[in-house]
Amino acid sequence: MTVRSSRDLALRAHPLLLAVLLFLASELMFFAGMLTAYYNLRLQTAVWPPRDVHLDLVGSSIGTGLLALSSAAMLLTTHSLARARFLVARCALATAILLGIGFLGITLHGWMDDTFRINSHAYGSIFFMLTGFHAMHVLAGVLLMVLWFAALRTPAFERDERAGGEAIGLYWHFVFGVWILIWGTIYLIR
Amino acid sequence: MSAAAELPEAQALVDHGILSWLAATDHKRIGILYISTVFAYFVIAGALALTIRLQLLHAGMTLVGPQAFDQVFTLHGTAMVFLVIAPFGFGLANYLIPLQIGAPDMALPRLNAFSFWLFLFGGLTVFLGAATNGGAGDAGWTAYAPLSTIRVGDGLGQDLWIVGLLMISISTIMTAVNFTTTVLVYRAPGMTMWRMPIFTWEMVATSLLVLVAFPPLTAVLAMLLIDRRLGGHFFDPAMGGSAILYQHLWWFFGHPEVYVMILPFFGIITEVVATFSRKPVFGYTGLVLAAFAIAGLSMTVWAHHMFTTGAVVDPFFSGMSFLIAVPTGVKFFNWIGTMWRGRIRLATPMLFALGFLFNFLLGGVTGVMVASPPIDFQARDSYFLVAHFHYALGGGSLFATFAAIYFWFPKMFGYRLRERLGAWHFWLLLVGFNLTFFPQFLLGMMGMMRRVYTYPAIPAWSQLNALSSLGAAIQFVAVAIFVANLIVSTRKRIPAGDDPWGGYTLEWTTSSPPPELNFERLPPIRSERPAYDLRHAAAEARS
Amino acid sequence: MKTGVGLFASSMLFAVVTAIVYGFATRDVVGVMLLGMTSLALFVIALYIRVAEGESGLRADDPASSPADGAGDVVGTFALESYWPAAAALCVGLGIAGITFLPGLSSAMLLVALVAGALVVRLLVREST
């Protein structure tokens, strides 16, 4: 038994979305802890990255590009749904999912290629922790998007269901945003 | 047309079976679940404390060996911090926030329930370590690396400690999300944020702290786990890691955590003091601003726990730590201002509130003392420090906990606790508590270190330790009296009615216990004292 | 929710200022990073609430409004009983605890636990929504 809502509140003020946003802010702080560790260790180490580390800038840039496009596809998804353009939304969501899977593929490939491990040195530990946790977040996002795709058989007009979709969108953009911070740290600033 | 409608007594909590508690999503039930669980952990942590005091009764006692002693104080600290004080605040807030803002429930009831169960399992996981071969986690509640990265045997106890805390961390963050969302979106019409009760405001500040300070805990715990289980080198200087990094990350969480453990209790004290002074809250705006000033500043002082490492800039942290005493002082003056020229009733909640004011003052002042690096260099890791934080958390938060229980128990269950037994409970606890911890200031100044399982047979030390242990025994009696109070009051119930104390906030306008969606009918909300306004409107209407 | 925006915006400002002062006073990267990211997190929240608040028109924020005005407004969706939270917590708990016993397999354990838990609950309990 639930008490259902029929109040005409704008979607963005829906409590689910607000809650997800607050959660995302806390996740940002989770990555902040890891990024802080990266910079702290970096400043204390003479050779950083260590000599056995070869960073694949090209591969990671491609991955970044895929994730960026995926985010754009997600924007298109939520945008179209708000305008009840259902077919476009479904195609955009499928694209977002595939691009996300592509990113995961590149990440995995990069890991297998690497000449160092999580237990090689402090750099290895923070590298794999940062990219590993991020990849877990990407995986979770892909799973959520797949579930949403499956549920999108009919256009979602119920406010609560639409809020759920918007929440997934927010999450996905967050995943991309955090990746920029991580990628910038590991591959650009080094 | 009474706002507090008559309802069948069985409505809110009583007529479901045990299993229904597993499926509970009502914030009131979840609040009660939290508080009950907290009480169970309190008893265990208290027993661990008694063990410590027994072992330290005389020099050279062999009740508990050094390895076991490490586990005892680790579990005591961990339980009191993560499983008692902080979750009591969250549990009480769970019960009260929707009632105080006029909402039917929390914004996300199922997430709320999830938070509780994860918290319960997290605590059990921490204690599960005690059943393993190597025993429970034993690196202190702070688990500094590299002590905590060394694996003795299979080291499962410490691992379980870490993952238990991970669960608790996630649970707490979810709770903070829920609280913040609820307060922002589900206030009743007319309940502007500046009319909310101080307790709710304190919980908003607390939730903010949790949102930004708990995730680094999750991160540092994960790093610890990686170092322990996956051969990581975060905290291993030989391979590029840093033990100081651990302390930074830990205390960036750890200091806000102690404010998470006091802000809700400031809220409790405010509500109790105002009600039993029969005056409005003095300086409402100041109290709100002070809460956020304290929360904000608490994020800037973390390395005052690291003065002696030589790795931080002491003056910055010392200055910020002195600064945080200012808004705290503002709160004290506001409470005194509330009592000034009030018609004070010394009911049990008020007794505990007054006890809080005395104890926390000592805790706070000694905090300012150790904020000074020269003093800290002497006091650090000594019993002076132990006494300081026990005065703040025990003398402060624990006393406020009991104030809250005596105050809101009638609302939650519909019947009263005995005042006579409550007074005995209070006085014995006050005497026992001070007898336990005041001598520890002296012991610390004389050089006795903390986390030691025994000490040299110096006469002054032995005497003071004996006094301290005697105090612990008295505290035990006090808590036993509290339990007796619970039993006696439940056996022969005295109905409480909607508003046994003449309270000010919305929860006192509904029945005790409240109905399923909290309010049959909400009164108009025109000030921060809607219950008071309602009573006076009714009185005027009658005259 | 204007107060909400003010709350997060001023907290963000405080964090930014402190990060800057801290950076100059101590030249320590840890504090600057942590405080800086805190201000970023608070900024994101403040921004979102600002945008959401503009559209919301909560009765709660109107000091002259009364509960009677809200009659007929149904407030929200509140699930009134569910076994899912306890089951989910058990699964998450097992999955996380599993890390200590079998690090490599813990994520698989988590998934299995989740699915198993969901199936068990579905089979045994008729859940009221």
Side-chain angles (χ1 to χ4, degrees), chain C residues 39 44 81 109 123:
Chain C
S39 55
V44 166
E81 250 188 0
M109 255 189 89
L123 285 170

Side-chain angles (χ1 to χ4, degrees), chain B residues 81-152:
Chain B
V81 169
F82 289 103
L83 302 173
V84 177
I85 300 289
F88 178 81
F90 296 126
L92 185 68
N94 239 312
Y95 194 95
L96 285 180
I97 290 180
L99 285 167
Q100 289 196 334
I101 63 174
D105 202 325
M106 285 286 174
L108 300 159
R110 279 174 296 191
L111 185 68
N112 202 9
F114 173 81
S115 285
F116 166 72
W117 292 109
L118 195 59
F119 152 74
L120 175 69
F121 294 140
L124 290 175
T125 304
V126 167
F127 277 99
L128 191 62
T132 63
N133 261 331
D138 56 4
W141 84 278
T142 49
Y144 274 17
L147 177 64
S148 52
T149 54
I150 298 170
R151 296 189 57 201
V152 180

Side-chain angles (χ1 to χ4, degrees), chain B residues 59-92:
Chain B
M61 280 191 73
T62 52
L63 181 70
V64 176
Q67 276 81 28
F69 191 81
D70 287 353
Q71 295 173 39
V72 170
F73 71 67
T74 299
L75 286 176
H76 165 76
T78 306
M80 283 298 191
V81 169
F82 289 103
L83 302 173
V84 177
I85 300 289
F88 178 81
F90 296 126
L92 185 68

Side-chain angles (χ1 to χ4, degrees), chain A residues 1 3-4 9-10 12 21 160, chain C residues 38 48 55-56 74 76-77 129:
Chain A
M1 179 172 64
V3 179
R4 287 216 160 267
L9 268 190
R12 282 210 200 89
L21 183 91
D160 292 344
Chain C
T38 301
Y48 185 86
E55 310 170 351
S56 74
V74 179
T77 308
T129 37

Side-chain angles (χ1 to χ4, degrees), chain A residues 152-163:
Chain A
L152 263 186
R153 266 176 229 305
T154 54
F157 288 132
E158 264 282 8
R159 212 170 143 263
D160 292 344
E161 288 159 20
R162 283 188 54 207

Side-chain angles (χ1 to χ4, degrees), chain A residues 1 17 31 37 46 48 56-57 63 67 71 76 86 106 110 112-114 123 146 150 168 184 188:
Chain A
M1 179 172 64
L17 276 177
F31 283 99
W48 182 279
D56 179 8
L57 186 56
L67 212 55
S71 233
L76 184 58
F86 190 58
I106 291 194
M112 292 194 297
D113 249 5
D114 279 322
Y123 182 90
V146 167
I168 296 177
L188 297 182

Side-chain angles (χ1 to χ4, degrees), chain B residues 188-437:
Chain B
M191 176 62 81
T192 64
M193 287 191 73
W194 289 101
R195 288 176 181 166
M196 294 194 308
I198 293 291
F199 177 77
T200 300
W201 267 117
E202 303 277 1
M203 291 316 301
V204 173
T206 306
S207 299
L208 225 90
L209 273 180
V210 169
L211 280 175
V212 293
F214 267 67
L217 169 70
T218 314
V220 79
L221 287 173
M223 290 179 200
L224 210 50
L225 213 50
I226 290 174
D227 268 21
R228 285 176 64 85
R229 305 290 306 201
L230 294 177
H233 298 286
F234 284 106
F235 309 120
D236 174 10
M239 301 292 281
S242 162
I244 300 293
L245 174 66
Y246 179 90
Q247 294 188 33
H248 271 299
L249 288 173
W250 172 269
W251 286 116
F252 187 78
F253 145 77
H255 197 83
E257 163 72 346
V258 314
Y259 285 91
V260 165
M261 286 194 284
I262 198 64
L263 287 175
F265 301 92
F266 285 163
I268 293 169
I269 295 302
T270 309
E271 307 289 357
V272 170
V273 164
T275 305
F276 292 98
S277 305
R278 288 182 267 204
K279 278 183 63 199
V281 170
F282 179 87
Y284 175 96
T285 309
L287 280 167
V288 173
L289 293 176
F292 287 96
I294 292 172
L297 284 168
S298 78
M299 301 218 60
T300 65
V301 302
W302 75 90
H304 67 216
H305 301 268
M306 297 164 65
F307 280 156
T308 55
T309 59
V312 299
V313 176
D314 293 356
F316 176 87
F317 291 102
S318 177
M320 300 307 274
S321 305
F322 284 141
L323 211 51
I324 206 171
V326 174
T328 315
V330 166
K331 283 189 178 289
F332 258 87
F333 282 117
N334 280 327
W335 292 323
I336 294 171
T338 305
M339 290 188 289
W340 194 262
R341 298 196 176 212
R343 292 171 5 240
I344 308 221
R345 269 180 306 159
L346 289 176
T348 310
M350 188 58 167
L351 287 175
F352 277 100
L354 292 172
F356 169 95
L357 289 175
F358 172 73
N359 290 327
F360 188 76
L361 188 62
L362 272 174
V365 165
T366 51
V368 177
M369 287 170 70
V370 290
S372 156
I375 298 183
D376 185 67
F377 270 62
Q378 295 300 310
R380 188 184 199 238
D381 273 350
S382 74
Y383 260 87
F384 188 92
L385 202 64
V386 174
H388 153 68
F389 64 69
H390 277 93
Y391 261 93
L393 292 173
S397 306
L398 186 64
F399 272 68
T401 298
F402 285 121
I405 293 178
Y406 282 96
F407 192 53
W408 278 293
F409 185 96
K411 174 55 59 182
M412 293 184 189
F413 298 104
Y415 59 95
R416 314 181 71 133
L417 290 172
R418 297 287 192 271
E419 282 292 299
R420 205 96 180 290
L421 285 172
W424 273 100
H425 171 200
F426 166 72
W427 288 107
L428 278 174
L429 194 67
L430 186 69
V431 167
F433 177 84
N434 279 281
L435 193 57
T436 305
F437 292 106

